[in-house]
């Protein structure tokens, strides 16, 4: 212990490096995944921990310079990522290793009085009725960063209350004075600080709600003490990788060593070049997947550059286009000076990394690496006075190296332009490695990888829906929960993913442990009665079993969900009676019989009742897990929606371009609201098979469609897609909301019936005419006869022979001639003057 504390006392950067290297090495020895982290030190240590240092020093020799730099003005920033489920183990190790609670503490965080909360706190202090205070607090708009002064400007009703009621005016006046002040202390999500002497000699400490020592200073003031500070962060992707490796081990019989995989794996790069990167770390956004297909990465360094380039600055500046075009030979890489080629060759003449800026200054103007780091930071902050001084210094150094003045000035300006966009290469390389590893897992072990993803995002409904659709796209079946096959998390059985029991509401850890322990000890459950008689009723109650039935957990036992629900009380009572007899030392007559006869006599007859309707079954599944498992209410309407919409909701939500759209789906939730003019409007969450999006229905549209919002049927919404880049949100401002049937008639331009020539005869055409007449409506019809190898011929249809486009019409025509096609051609989306939704 004395040695470790002694290392801390030396402080200096090498000692700092040794400390972090120590807990990284310990974590790896315990099988705790370590990730790239952030900050000047983090990237260096990530490179160290991931062994990304065996590379060309002229290109990569600056991995540690920003960290081990004697000319630094302050301590380096260290944010290290760990598997989120095992992060606590690392913190406990650091405490043990470096002096215990006297020398290691987590950092405090202070919660402040926010707009709604401060109203409730002050109202409580003034002894005002809770209902009245709550009503006032709810008038504050639900907007990120809202303050009471802003709320008063946006919500007239708050102003009216203050004018009419002195008590409310007093409440609001006090609340505005207190808003923003610290309200309570908690533990910072990541910060840990280490001291050479007892912590109390540097700053005040206290204990949190769990009894752990934390600083009384927050992060900002703790840093000013000069103590060694780290941020230990939990990275979900590391947990995904760990869970996937455990699932893979069940298949290959050993733990997959990702450190030993080939870094030029053909299958992995093929997957990336196709843009098949959903779930892949850092690469799963729609924009990044498009860039993957554009760039066509071939080697690991392409991924390193990709991670560094996909940010607003490089994208807007044209750097990304230059990089891609030069890589594919559509442009020629330009090097203003021969000395720049070794530095910029791997990025096709484009300055991508901060380290490249530093190296250019070092090579052309004789900057020390410490001075080059100062230049890099000055360029990033663009402080004119500092930049002027640095330019003078750079020009003098370049002149000493016989660099022409005009070239030196051009290069300095070029560096200044790109330095603001430049990315820490060691950080980018470490992130790219995790990107590559997750892509490798998806390419080689897709079922295990997707199961691990689903387990980690089980509480994120949109993500689960997205990943289940991805599984379908890859031909991976996702099975509902099963009492005999499911584990806590999603698992893989014979290439199929089985739902995890932990995803089900009301099924807690104690119940899960009891169910799985009993199954592993005594074998599979054979019936509902068998299950009830074997589980510990103190840990697995009726509510748990109902939840399991609703999600299909007992389906494999052969009974219908409706039947099991009907006999559940009887099964539980029978099990409890047997348990009471056992505890009292009594034995029933049946227990003296052989085991097979005993089980037979204890079986509860199942009532002859029909299974729940699909609608009820799906509703129960969604109630229990937040999404549909065995199907989707829209399954039967996929063709109908495809006929009308111009994109699915996942595509629309990912779009960055504002435009008119027509989308379809079910109303997941909706909330009525009053506009500033006190008119009724609504905020709607619409979902389809791929995702969800918020729709704003303003008063005029709401008046036309309010009754449809309570419908459980599919709706078609046309409106303007609007994006908020600042928050990364997309919303639709609805112009119209229609039922599927109403939308079919409203938005179908014409109906096209394509018939195969060899199936046509006079009787057939007569029956076609009868179907057209049966479904008379306002939509024009076009008949096309298709001749094999001879093309197509349009048949004149009388102008008054129009139809009502609907699925029944399509079905009757298809039933008449199986080889025909019926297409409902949608009208173009009408472009209207945009109405902006308020960010307030």
């Amino acid at each position: 212990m004395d040695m470790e504390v002694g290392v801390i006392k030396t402080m200096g950067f090498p000692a700092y490096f040794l400390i972090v290297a120590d807990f990284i090495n310990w974590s790896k020895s315990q099988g705790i995944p370590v990730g790239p982290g952030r900050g000047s030190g983090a990237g260096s240590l990530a490179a160290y921990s991931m062994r990304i240092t065996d590379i060309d020093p002229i290109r990569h020799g600056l991995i540690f310079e920003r960290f081990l730099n004697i000319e630094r003005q302050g301590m380096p920033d260290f944010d290290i990522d760990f598997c989120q489920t095992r992060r606590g183990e690392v913190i406990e190790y650091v405490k043990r290793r470096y002096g215990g609670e006297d020398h290691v503490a987590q950092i405090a965080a202070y919660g402040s009085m926010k707009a709604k909360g401060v109203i409730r706190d002050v109202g409580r202090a003034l002894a005002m009725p809770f209902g009245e205070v709550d009503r006032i607090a709810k008038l504050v708009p639900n907007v990120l960063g809202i303050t009471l002064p802003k709320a008063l400007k946006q919500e007239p009703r708050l102003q009216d209350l203050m004018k009419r009621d002195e008590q409310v005016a007093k409440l609001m006046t006090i609340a505005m004075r207190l808003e923003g002040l610290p309200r309570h202390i908690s533990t910072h999500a990541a910060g840990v600080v280490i001291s050479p002497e007892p912590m109390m000699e540097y700053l005040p400490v206290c204990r949190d709600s769990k009894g752990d020592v934390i600083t009384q200073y927050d992060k900002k003031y703790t840093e000013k003490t000069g103590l060694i500070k780290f941020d230990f962060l939990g990275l979900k992707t590391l947990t995904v990788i760990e869970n996937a490796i455990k699932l893979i081990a069940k298949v290959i019989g050993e733990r997959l060593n990702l450190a030993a995989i080939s870094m030029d794996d053909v299958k992995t790069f093929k997957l990336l070049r196709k843009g098949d990167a959903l779930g892949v770390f850092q690469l799963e956004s729609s924009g990044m997947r498009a860039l993957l297909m554009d760039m066509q990465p071939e080697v690991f360094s392409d991924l390193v550059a990709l991670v560094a380039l996909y940010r607003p600055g490089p994208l807007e500046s044209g750097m990304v286009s230059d990089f891609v075009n030069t890589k594919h030979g559509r442009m020629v890489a330009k090097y203003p000076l021969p000395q720049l080629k070794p530095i910029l060759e791997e990025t096709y003449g484009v300055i991508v990394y901060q380290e490249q800026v530093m190296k250019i200054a070092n090579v052309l103007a004789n900057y020390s690496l410490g001075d080059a780091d100062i230049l890099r930071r000055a360029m990033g902050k663009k402080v004119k006075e500092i930049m002027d001084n640095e330019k003078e210094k750079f020009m003098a150094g370049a002149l000493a190296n016989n660099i022409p003045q005009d070239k030196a000035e051009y290069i300095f300006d070029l560096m200044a332009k790109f330095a603001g966009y430049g990315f820490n290469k060691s950080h980018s390389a470490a992130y790219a490695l995790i990107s590559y590893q997750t892509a490798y897992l998806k390419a080689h072990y897709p079922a295990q990888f997707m199961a691990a993803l689903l387990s980690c995002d089980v509480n994120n409904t949109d993500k689960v829906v997205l990943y289940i659709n991805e599984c379908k796209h890859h031909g991976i079946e996702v099975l509902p929960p099963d009492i005999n096959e499911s584990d806590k998390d999603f698992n893989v059985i014979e290439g199929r993913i089985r739902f995890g029991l932990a995803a089900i509401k009301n099924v807690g850890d104690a119940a899960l442990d009891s169910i799985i322990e009993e199954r592993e000890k005594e074998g599979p459950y054979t019936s509902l009665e068998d299950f009830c008689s074997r589980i510990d009723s103190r840990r697995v109650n009726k509510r748990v079993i109902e939840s399991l039935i609703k999600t299909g957990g007992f389906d494999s036992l052969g009974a219908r969900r409706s039947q099991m629900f009907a006999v559940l009380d009887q099964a539980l009572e029978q099990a409890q009676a047997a348990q009471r007899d056992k505890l009292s030392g009594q034995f029933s007559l049946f227990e003296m019989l052989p085991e097979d006869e005993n089980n037979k006599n204890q079986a509860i007859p199942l009532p002859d009742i029909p299974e729940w309707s699909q609608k009820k079954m799906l509703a129960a599944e969604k109630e229990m897990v937040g999404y549909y498992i065995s199907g989707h209410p829209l399954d039967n309407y996929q063709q109908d929606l495809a006929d009308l919409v111009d994109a699915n909701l996942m595509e629309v939500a990912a779009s960055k371009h504002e435009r008119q759209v027509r989308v379809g789906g079910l109303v997941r939730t909706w909330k009525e609201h009053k506009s500033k003019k006190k008119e009724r409007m609504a905020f709607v969450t619409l979902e389809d098979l791929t995702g969800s999006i918020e729709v704003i229905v303003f008063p005029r549209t709401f008046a036309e469609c309010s009754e449809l919002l309570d419908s459980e049927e599919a709706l078609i919404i046309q409106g303007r897609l609007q994006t908020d880049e600042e928050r990364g949100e997309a919303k639709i401002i609805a112009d119209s909301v229609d039922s599927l049937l109403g939308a079919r008639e409203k938005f179908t331009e014409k109906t096209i019936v394509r018939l195969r020539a060899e199936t046509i005869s006079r009787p057939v055409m007569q029956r076609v005419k009868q179907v057209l007449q049966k479904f008379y409506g306002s939509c024009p019809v076009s008949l096309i006869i298709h001749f094999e190898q001879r093309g197509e011929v349009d048949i004149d249809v009388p102008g008054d022979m129009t139809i009502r486009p609907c699925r029944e019409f399509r079905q009757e025509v298809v039933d008449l001639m199986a080889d025909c096609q019926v297409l409902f051609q949608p009208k173009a989306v009408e472009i209207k003057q945009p109405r902006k939704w308020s960010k307030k």
Side-chain angles (χ1 to χ4, degrees):
M1 187 68 70
D2 291 342
M3 180 187 72
E4 284 77 16
V5 175
V7 168
I8 296 174
K9 287 181 179 180
T10 66
M11 297 304 280
F13 298 149
Y16 198 1
F17 177 86
L18 290 172
I19 293 168
V20 186
D22 167 53
F23 66 66
I24 285 178
N25 284 333
W26 179 84
S27 300
K28 291 167 79 70
S29 73
Q30 299 300 308
I32 301 175
V34 182
R38 285 161 285 285
S40 59
S44 299
L45 261 296
Y48 162 80
S49 70
M50 296 177 168
R51 302 296 187 263
I52 311 177
T53 53
D54 53 341
I55 39 187
D56 185 352
I58 193 164
R59 296 181 183 173
H60 308 279
L62 292 163
I63 284 183
F64 295 103
E65 277 72 5
R66 292 181 55 210
F67 170 57
L68 299 175
N69 177 0
I70 61 173
E71 297 169 63
R72 283 188 67 99
Q73 299 299 309
M75 296 295 273
D77 186 19
F78 251 105
D79 302 347
I80 303 294
D81 293 317
F82 296 95
C83 169
Q84 62 184 8
T85 59
R86 302 188 65 186
R87 169 181 165 271
E89 294 177 43
V90 183
I91 294 174
E92 288 304 312
Y93 167 76
V94 172
K95 286 180 181 178
R96 293 194 307 271
R97 177 80 164 171
Y98 294 101
E101 289 188 337
D102 289 342
H103 293 270
V104 181
Q106 289 182 258
I107 297 173
Y110 288 91
S112 60
M113 292 189 176
K114 300 292 175 64
K116 291 190 178 188
V118 72
I119 289 175
R120 291 190 171 98
D121 287 344
V122 173
R124 191 162 43 248
L126 294 177
M128 292 175 65
F130 172 78
E132 183 181 350
V133 175
D134 187 57
R135 180 171 57 85
I136 296 167
K138 286 180 177 177
L139 291 176
V140 176
N142 291 315
V143 175
L144 187 67
I146 191 70
T147 63
L148 290 179
K150 289 179 181 178
L152 284 170
K153 290 180 181 178
Q154 296 174 29
E155 182 50 75
R157 286 176 292 178
L158 273 176
Q159 297 178 27
D160 294 342
L161 280 173
M162 286 184 70
K163 290 174 183 176
R164 288 189 284 105
D165 191 324
E166 289 185 7
Q167 183 79 334
V168 175
K170 182 180 179 181
L171 165 71
M172 293 298 293
T173 302
I174 296 172
M176 282 189 282
R177 292 286 300 275
L178 296 178
E179 185 180 16
L181 293 176
R183 184 181 187 277
H184 61 270
I185 189 171
S186 60
T187 304
H188 188 273
V192 176
V193 65
I194 301 177
S195 63
E197 304 296 342
M199 190 72 67
M200 287 186 291
E201 295 186 19
Y202 298 90
L203 44 69
V205 296
C206 61
R207 290 190 182 274
D208 64 10
S209 58
K210 297 178 183 177
D212 295 328
V213 172
I214 61 173
T215 67
Q216 286 191 39
Y217 289 167
D218 65 10
K219 185 175 179 179
K220 176 182 175 182
Y221 289 98
T222 297
E223 287 177 341
K224 291 184 177 181
T225 64
L227 293 174
I228 296 179
K229 181 192 74 68
F230 312 94
D231 279 344
F232 291 176
L233 302 154
L235 182 64
K236 182 192 74 176
T237 302
L238 296 175
T239 307
V240 170
I241 291 173
E242 180 65 14
N243 290 346
I245 288 174
K246 289 177 180 176
L247 291 172
I248 292 165
K250 294 179 181 179
V251 177
I252 65 176
E254 60 182 0
R255 184 179 174 84
L256 177 69
N257 182 7
L258 283 179
I261 63 175
S262 169
M263 294 304 292
D264 55 2
D265 180 69
V266 173
K267 203 170 181 180
T268 301
F269 278 105
K270 183 179 179 182
L271 175 137
L272 291 172
R273 286 194 291 271
K274 289 192 300 181
D276 186 8
L278 198 64
V280 175
F281 182 63
Q282 292 283 303
L283 306 181
E284 72 171 343
S285 71
S286 58
M288 184 64 98
R289 283 181 278 146
L291 183 55
L292 278 168
M293 291 186 283
D294 198 15
M295 181 185 281
Q296 294 288 294
E298 298 168 293
V299 290
F300 179 69
S301 61
D302 286 344
L303 295 184
V304 178
L306 193 73
V307 171
L309 285 168
Y310 193 75
R311 290 173 298 115
L315 288 168
E316 291 165 9
S317 70
M319 285 172 61
V320 177
S321 298
D322 290 349
F323 185 97
V324 172
N325 287 331
T326 308
K327 170 179 165 54
H328 293 302
R330 296 189 288 266
M331 286 176 57
V332 178
K334 297 176 182 177
Y335 305 102
L337 291 169
Q339 297 95 313
L340 295 182
K341 187 173 181 180
I343 302 170
L344 301 179
E345 189 172 19
E346 70 163 334
T347 51
Y348 308 102
V350 178
I351 299 174
V352 173
Y353 308 116
Q354 294 171 348
E355 288 85 349
Q356 289 174 317
V357 172
M358 294 168 63
K359 194 66 180 177
I360 290 169
N362 173 248
V363 170
L364 298 188
N366 300 324
Y367 272 64
S368 69
L369 293 176
D371 284 345
D373 188 42
I374 293 169
L375 171 66
R376 188 262 320 160
R377 279 184 282 144
M379 286 179 164
K381 293 177 180 177
K382 292 182 168 52
V383 179
K384 186 178 186 307
E385 185 180 346
I386 300 175
M387 286 287 284
D388 288 343
N389 292 335
E390 289 297 334
K391 185 170 184 177
E392 186 178 333
K393 181 178 177 180
F394 182 88
M395 296 299 291
L399 182 62
N401 284 332
N402 298 318
I403 306 293
Q405 183 176 347
D406 59 333
K407 290 279 189 182
E409 191 162 352
Y410 170 78
I411 291 168
F412 184 89
D413 292 341
L414 193 68
M415 291 164 61
K417 176 184 175 182
F418 290 116
Y421 306 143
F423 202 66
N424 178 341
K425 180 170 184 180
S426 51
H427 183 151
S428 186
Y431 263 22
L433 181 61
I434 296 184
S435 300
Y436 182 83
Q437 289 173 341
T438 49
Y440 180 93
L441 292 173
K442 185 174 184 180
H444 290 271
Y445 305 99
Q448 288 76 11
F449 178 69
M450 295 307 298
L453 273 176
L454 286 163
S455 294
C456 286
D457 276 312
V458 70
N459 295 317
N460 185 330
T461 299
D462 287 340
K463 283 280 192 181
V464 170
V465 171
L466 187 65
Y467 292 147
I468 288 177
N469 284 325
E470 180 73 353
C471 290
K472 291 177 182 176
H473 176 70
H474 283 272
I476 302 167
E477 192 175 357
V478 180
L479 304 172
D482 184 271
I483 205 67
N484 284 323
E485 285 196 347
S486 292
D487 292 330
K488 278 189 178 182
D489 293 326
F490 288 74
N491 64 350
V492 179
I493 299 173
E494 296 179 352
R496 302 183 298 175
I497 296 175
R498 177 68 76 176
F499 242 84
L501 296 177
I504 304 171
K505 289 177 185 175
N506 306 324
V507 184
D509 286 341
L512 287 174
D513 290 340
S514 176
I515 292 167
I516 294 171
E517 285 169 11
E518 172 63 25
R519 186 179 75 198
E520 291 176 347
K521 182 180 176 183
E522 299 295 337
Y525 301 104
T526 58
S527 66
L528 180 63
E529 308 92 280
D530 178 52
F531 178 85
C532 292
S533 67
R534 287 167 57 183
I535 48 92
D536 182 347
S537 59
R538 295 166 299 180
R539 298 158 75 185
V540 184
N541 58 27
K542 178 183 176 182
R543 193 179 181 195
V544 170
I545 302 172
E546 285 179 341
S547 299
L548 291 168
I549 293 173
K550 287 180 178 180
T551 53
F554 290 95
D555 286 2
S556 63
L557 301 184
R560 301 172 189 148
R561 297 183 195 183
S562 59
Q563 292 174 318
M564 286 183 282
F565 232 80
V567 302
L568 177 57
D569 285 337
Q570 189 179 346
L572 285 170
E573 177 54 38
Q574 178 177 286
Q576 289 165 2
Q579 187 67 24
R580 286 194 298 270
D581 289 346
K582 191 174 291 185
L583 290 173
S584 64
Q586 298 178 22
F587 294 92
S588 73
L589 176 64
F590 293 124
E591 287 180 89
M592 300 178 190
L593 296 173
E595 188 174 342
D596 286 346
E597 286 188 55
N598 178 20
N599 287 339
K600 181 178 178 181
N601 281 294
Q602 286 183 332
I604 298 172
L606 295 171
D608 185 14
I609 56 176
E611 179 57 290
W612 292 339
S613 66
Q614 185 190 37
K615 184 177 179 181
K616 181 177 180 178
M617 197 178 294
L618 292 175
E621 291 174 0
K622 188 166 188 182
E623 176 194 358
M624 290 297 103
V625 295
Y627 32 85
Y628 305 108
I629 301 174
S630 59
H632 195 283
L634 292 176
D635 283 342
N636 294 328
Y637 298 97
Q638 289 189 61
Q639 183 60 56
D640 301 273
L641 291 174
D643 289 337
L644 292 165
V645 305
D646 58 1
N648 62 48
L649 293 184
M650 180 180 72
E651 293 166 343
V652 170
S655 175
K656 291 190 167 98
H657 304 293
E658 297 193 354
R659 66 183 196 278
Q660 288 293 125
V661 295
R662 188 186 298 137
V663 297
L666 298 172
V667 173
R668 181 195 292 173
T669 60
W670 74 278
K671 182 178 180 182
E672 188 172 326
H673 187 70
K674 288 289 178 66
S675 71
K676 290 182 180 180
K677 294 181 180 179
K678 306 294 176 67
E679 295 176 309
R680 297 171 69 199
M681 59 178 290
F683 292 92
V684 178
T685 300
L686 187 75
E687 68 174 0
D688 67 4
L689 289 158
T690 65
S692 64
I693 196 168
E694 184 174 4
V695 180
I696 299 176
V697 185
F698 281 120
R700 188 183 66 206
T701 308
F702 183 81
E704 298 168 355
C705 72
S706 57
E707 71 282 355
L708 290 175
L709 299 182
D710 281 322
S711 168
E712 294 181 357
E713 302 302 319
L715 301 180
I716 299 295
I717 295 178
Q718 182 165 291
R720 185 163 186 83
L721 173 67
Q722 294 186 347
T723 59
D724 184 348
E725 292 184 14
E726 190 177 313
R727 296 192 211 167
E729 294 178 354
K731 304 188 186 221
I732 295 173
I733 310 300
D735 291 323
S736 65
V737 179
D738 296 279
S739 67
L740 196 57
L741 183 60
R744 175 80 79 189
E745 296 190 30
K746 181 177 179 180
F747 295 122
T748 302
E749 183 78 36
K750 68 176 177 179
T751 300
I752 300 171
V753 180
R754 182 175 281 109
L755 311 172
R756 295 180 65 86
E758 58 267 29
T759 65
I760 292 176
S761 64
R762 184 176 292 275
V764 166
M765 293 305 293
Q766 187 61 37
R767 288 199 296 272
V768 169
K769 181 179 179 180
Q770 291 170 357
V771 174
L772 294 177
Q773 292 171 335
K774 178 180 178 181
F775 289 91
Y776 177 75
S778 59
C779 181
V781 179
S782 174
L783 284 179
I784 299 175
I785 298 179
H786 176 79
F787 293 89
E788 195 70 34
Q789 299 179 348
R790 292 170 56 190
E792 295 182 338
V793 176
D794 289 343
I795 303 296
D796 288 333
V797 178
D800 61 347
M801 189 169 283
T802 52
I803 62 119
R804 173 170 50 87
C806 58
R807 65 191 319 190
E808 291 79 12
F809 170 79
R810 171 185 274 146
Q811 192 59 52
E812 285 213 24
V813 175
V814 170
D815 289 344
L816 191 62
M817 289 177 293
D819 289 339
C820 75
Q821 280 184 310
V822 179
L823 304 174
F824 296 121
Q825 183 175 305
K827 293 178 181 177
V829 178
E830 183 181 353
I831 298 175
K832 293 191 176 183
Q833 190 66 25
R835 287 183 287 171
K836 283 287 183 182
W837 57 279
S838 172
K839 296 179 184 179
K840 300 174 183 179

